[in-house]
Amino acid sequence: MTHQLGDRERSAIRDWLALPVERRARLVIGGDGGAGKSALLRESAAQVPGAALVDCTGLTADEVALRVCAALGVALGPDELLRGRPGLRGALRGDHTVFLVNSQWAGTTLTSSEPRRIARALSLLLLRAPEARIRLALEWDGDRMGEPPARDVVVTLAAGPEARSADATGADGRHPLGVLAAAETADVPVEVYRLLHEALGAPSGPADARALAAAFPDVIEVRETGRDARGEEEPDAGRLAFRSPSLARMWRAACPVSEAEQRRVVAALLAAVTDSGPARPWTESGPVGRYAARALPAHAALAGTAGELLTDGRVLAQVRPGAAWDALAVAYPAGVPYGGVLADVRSLQAQGAWSLSQGEWAAWLHHAALCAGRTDLARQLSGSGVGMPFETVWTQWRGNGRFGPVPGEVGRIDELALVRSEDGLSLLAARDATTDRATDPAHAYVRQEFDSATGAPHGAPAVVPEPLYESGWVYDDRVPEGVSGAFAERLDGEWEIEPEPSAPPPRCPLSVGQGIGLDNLWVLAGEGGLFAAVCRTDGEDDGTAWHAAPLLEPHARLAAPEPPAEALAAADGDAGARPWLEEVFGAGACRRHAAGDLPDGITHPGTRDFLVEVGLPSLEGLLQLQTHGGLKPLPKDGTDGQRSGVRYEIGHWMYAPLALDGATGQVLRLPRDTAPEPAAGSLARFFAMVRLFDAYRRGFHPSRADRRDAQQVLAAWCRRIDPTVDESDTWDAVLGGHPFEDGTWELVTKDGRPPL
């Protein structure tokens, strides 16, 4: 069908094209299926010289982003791809107009979050690229993409006379077309159709591909050889497909499948891929196995069992990474629970692992399971039948999703050496722990020795004044006599390895920066500590790392857990907060006041109780905060819009006095030239949030993505404790990752700044 442009459409598109490109408003084409949205966009693109047009059908949002770049002639070199999203944003330059057709049909499954990712993450990347000015037009479907923002230019098309709908009078999920619509992929192997037919309890009918197509010639077609969205040929023959995605959606709406029925589908698929002998890759076990690897997570999301399915290592290793990430976004729209197996799955994408092979996917999930102490899950992953190119054998690497310091953790490792000890070969690890770099640093390096075979520490860590390369360990002569070893160091994202190793190291995230190879055992170290992995000698090493970040934001968000009970109690002014605060602030740091000695101007009951029972903390340096434990009276001033009352200076925060309002209990920051800024609703809340920030800033993290997650958790906790933080520019800087250099920070990166 060719959509005929009416005066309204012509005028709207003409006005949109005439808008100053600096406004970067999107053009959104909405309307029912069959209304001609794609035709309208294609005609519009043909009228714009040099416009880029990309068909999103079956593609992920990341693949659409790469195709947009190709259509615009943007060359993405290895460096830009390695950097992920920042590299992509930086590569976009110049003035462009981009049209995205069928954006509502993005994704490899019908139940997909990819249309929303295009509507949000990809759109923001294109419209906000700092060196480019891009006009963006795309198709829109409210059910799959949400409501467009008010700032968009919206054109809604009425259904044309040729628009089709599902004639499903009296049909249910067991109708032959309802069975086909229950499938998740665009075309479905006959073997999968038959499995769905049986699982849904459909009555006997045409289960042969040609017979089914003959029964419904206007609705479905048979594809002898399937091709995926990338154009790669599928080995299965006799695949059924609706003639358009909108027809599949219409029949799915007309013949809904219940959660209970979806659970039967999940069970049938699992039985088909697990009851056929020894464990082996699903992708090698026929059309049902290939379908399950792509679509089983989506079925589980619809069944309400995605969390159960994706925490089974035998299944998790087999499904395609993108299918798992997409299903998490569908199953957990409010966010994936923090700190569990599902968060580990999400973390791989957040760290930039979007080009992992199936074997690497299983191996890194196995590694994450061991770091978290989930030994049963690790055994399931290693026994899944997916061939892993390496296997972690011991770990001192910090697991994902752990907030704050962990007792006994190794911490970041900047240097790694091999030495001979009384017990054989040992590893010598060191990190820069210098503080006060902004003033007069006293250089300090934490050094510790570990058993190379088990990872067990030899003794406690020691603090020394020089790094390894300045000490007795000589960089150019680093292999003990009689030992054959290879040393690897990360330079610009690639390994520099000397001499040639027996087995190549695994492809690693950029947070891994050092390595020592002993035959097929590699000891690897970096931001999260160190671990050892046995690598296949026939493994392929292309010399690259994971990408530094995903091309777009991860599919699924992270849900913050409940704040620690101690923090909530302390924020409520509980008398037991004193030990929790002094655990970090130091013994005796909370200076209590006798009730009779409190100034008369402090009349707020909760504040009086806090000062008497907990005490006013005396701090120096932390968060650029100095408090002296005392109460210095300030002149009364009711001209700033705050409730009038007696105020007392309790210290300084970020170059401005910090004051207590004795009548309300509110804590205020008093900049010189602006109105007072609320810092917290009470002393108890303020110091509880400072204590949480201290836990955050002292935590070593296995990746930059993990630190960003912890930063988001900190922000959520502080907003839960005191919504005042949303009214404070200073808290906005604190929770947004301002790089404080306050003389107390044991360096989290070599340049002295936290990797936010």
Side-chain angles (χ1 to χ4, degrees):
M1 178 182 69
T2 301
H3 184 83
Q4 299 299 318
L5 292 177
D7 292 340
R8 183 176 63 85
E9 291 93 348
R10 288 182 183 279
S11 176
I13 293 172
R14 185 169 55 249
D15 291 346
W16 174 71
L17 288 170
L19 286 173
V21 73
E22 290 82 2
R23 284 191 56 183
R24 305 186 185 189
R26 289 187 305 188
L27 174 63
V28 168
I29 306 297
D32 296 332
K37 297 188 293 293
S38 297
L40 175 56
L41 279 176
R42 292 181 188 277
E43 289 185 20
S44 301
Q47 298 172 8
V48 181
L53 186 141
V54 174
D55 190 331
C56 304
T57 305
L59 300 178
T60 67
D62 305 77
E63 290 167 338
V64 174
L66 293 176
R67 293 200 181 188
V68 167
C69 288
L72 295 177
V74 175
L76 293 174
D79 290 343
E80 286 85 3
L81 287 174
L82 180 66
R83 291 173 59 209
R85 183 171 180 269
L88 182 57
R89 290 179 73 244
L92 292 168
R93 297 174 180 274
D95 292 1
H96 304 285
T97 304
V98 176
F99 293 85
L100 301 180
V101 299
N102 293 316
S103 48
Q104 73 273 35
W105 304 124
T108 59
T109 59
L110 195 58
T111 302
S112 177
S113 65
E114 297 296 354
R116 285 182 180 265
R117 295 185 76 224
I118 289 174
R120 297 176 183 177
L122 177 57
S123 290
L124 288 176
L125 182 141
L126 295 175
L127 296 175
R128 296 182 181 179
E131 301 299 325
R133 296 184 301 175
I134 295 177
R135 290 187 179 92
L136 175 63
L138 71 164
E139 285 188 58
W140 198 275
D141 184 306
D143 291 339
R144 297 175 65 83
M145 305 166 81
E147 289 300 315
R151 63 179 176 273
D152 288 342
V153 175
V154 179
V155 176
T156 303
L157 303 185
E162 298 180 38
R164 292 173 292 189
S165 61
D167 182 10
T169 305
D172 58 19
R174 296 177 298 168
H175 186 282
L177 294 181
V179 172
L180 183 59
E184 282 294 327
T185 53
D187 50 22
V188 184
V190 172
E191 295 87 342
V192 173
Y193 176 81
R194 289 171 180 160
L195 181 146
L196 296 172
H197 190 275
E198 182 176 346
L200 295 174
S204 59
D208 174 78
R210 296 194 178 281
L212 193 64
F216 304 99
D218 295 333
V219 182
I220 59 176
E221 62 183 348
V222 177
R223 300 173 182 173
E224 293 298 337
T225 301
R227 292 183 180 274
D228 63 17
R230 299 160 191 80
E232 298 174 356
E233 186 173 301
E234 295 278 1
D236 309 320
R239 301 169 69 91
L240 294 162
F242 282 97
R243 292 190 175 274
S244 71
S246 60
L247 279 172
R249 178 183 173 187
M250 290 174 188
W251 275 96
R252 175 171 282 201
C255 304
V257 176
S258 68
E259 282 194 2
E261 290 171 322
Q262 286 288 359
R263 286 194 288 272
R264 295 207 301 268
V265 170
V266 170
L269 286 169
L270 284 174
V273 294
T274 57
D275 294 348
S276 55
R280 57 175 175 160
W282 290 358
T283 54
E284 298 175 8
S285 59
V288 175
R290 285 186 284 275
Y291 176 84
R294 296 167 60 184
L296 184 57
H299 283 292
L302 293 174
T305 60
E308 176 184 345
L309 183 85
L310 296 177
T311 52
D312 184 332
R314 295 163 296 184
V315 174
L316 186 55
Q318 297 277 8
V319 300
R320 292 188 176 183
W325 294 329
D326 203 357
L328 286 180
V330 174
Y332 295 93
V336 174
Y338 183 70
V341 177
L342 302 181
D344 283 344
V345 174
R346 175 193 174 274
S347 178
L348 287 179
Q349 184 182 27
Q351 292 180 63
W354 46 274
S355 61
L356 293 186
S357 68
Q358 197 70 36
E360 288 176 309
W361 163 254
W364 281 109
L365 288 169
H366 175 267
H367 168 78
L370 288 180
C371 291
R374 302 184 184 105
T375 54
D376 288 344
L377 176 63
R379 281 192 292 269
Q380 290 175 346
L381 289 159
S382 61
S384 65
V386 175
M388 300 192 302
F390 72 93
E391 185 167 344
T392 300
V393 292
W394 61 256
T395 178
Q396 294 280 2
W397 189 265
R398 174 175 167 135
N400 298 302
R402 307 179 78 176
F403 190 91
V406 175
E409 70 178 341
V410 170
R412 191 193 73 249
I413 291 178
D414 300 330
E415 297 177 289
L416 190 64
L418 190 64
V419 297
R420 192 177 294 282
S421 65
E422 296 179 358
D423 300 321
L425 289 178
S426 293
L427 302 160
L428 199 58
R431 77 166 178 271
D432 188 344
T434 306
T435 56
D436 284 330
R437 279 189 180 268
T439 54
D440 183 19
H443 291 285
Y445 300 84
V446 176
R447 187 180 299 177
Q448 192 168 14
E449 194 171 316
F450 300 88
D451 188 287
S452 62
T454 67
H458 290 167
V463 179
V464 297
E466 71 280 327
L468 285 178
Y469 71 85
E470 291 182 359
S471 61
W473 178 77
V474 181
Y475 188 80
D476 293 329
D477 186 23
R478 50 193 169 181
V479 181
E481 185 177 352
V483 176
S484 176
F487 285 76
E489 184 175 8
R490 179 89 72 196
L491 296 173
D492 297 326
E494 299 183 4
W495 286 121
E496 291 283 337
I497 305 177
E498 295 181 3
E500 187 73 20
S502 301
R507 284 205 310 153
C508 295
L510 287 175
S511 54
V512 177
Q514 306 283 329
I516 296 178
L518 300 170
D519 293 326
N520 65 337
L521 179 75
W522 272 95
V523 178
L524 300 160
E527 300 287 345
L530 75 165
F531 65 96
V534 173
C535 302
R536 290 205 317 241
T537 56
D538 61 348
E540 296 182 3
D541 174 30
D542 60 5
T544 63
W546 294 4
H547 303 276
L551 280 180
L552 302 175
E553 295 299 320
H555 283 73
R557 296 188 298 164
L558 193 70
E562 282 292 299
E566 303 93 335
L568 292 175
D572 285 340
D574 189 282
R578 180 181 176 86
W580 183 71
L581 294 174
E582 291 191 344
E583 181 183 0
V584 163
F585 298 161
C590 296
R591 300 182 180 179
R592 287 185 282 202
H593 296 251
D597 294 338
L598 290 176
D600 294 340
I602 299 180
T603 57
H604 185 261
T607 300
R608 294 181 66 87
D609 291 344
F610 180 86
L611 293 170
V612 171
E613 297 176 6
V614 177
L616 186 62
S618 178
L619 305 176
E620 180 67 33
L622 171 61
L623 197 58
Q624 294 187 357
L625 173 66
Q626 295 83 36
T627 58
H628 41 66
L631 299 161
K632 177 183 175 182
L634 293 173
K636 291 185 178 182
D637 183 2
T639 64
D640 55 23
Q642 301 292 330
R643 179 177 174 181
S644 179
V646 177
R647 291 177 178 170
Y648 299 86
E649 181 185 303
I650 60 174
H652 282 73
W653 187 29
M654 293 292 287
Y655 316 112
L658 191 68
L660 166 69
D661 187 305
T664 66
Q666 189 178 30
V667 182
L668 302 167
R669 181 173 170 271
L670 306 177
R672 177 179 300 178
D673 299 322
T674 60
E677 175 189 317
S682 69
L683 289 170
R685 294 178 184 178
F686 180 77
F687 287 105
M689 293 189 291
V690 172
R691 167 70 169 79
L692 287 175
F693 176 85
D694 177 79
Y696 157 76
R697 63 112 184 181
R698 288 191 296 119
F700 291 97
H701 291 269
S703 67
R704 290 174 181 261
D706 191 77
R707 180 166 286 279
R708 284 193 294 269
D709 288 344
Q711 179 190 345
Q712 292 174 14
V713 168
L714 172 68
W717 285 353
C718 288
R719 290 188 176 96
R720 165 76 180 278
I721 286 171
D722 194 338
T724 297
V725 299
D726 287 326
E727 305 171 28
S728 165
D729 290 340
T730 307
W731 275 117
D732 185 62
V734 170
L735 302 178
H738 180 83
F740 292 98
E741 293 181 354
D742 59 11
T744 70
W745 204 302
E746 183 178 346
L747 298 184
V748 190
T749 60
K750 294 179 183 180
D751 64 2
R753 292 175 180 267
L756 299 172

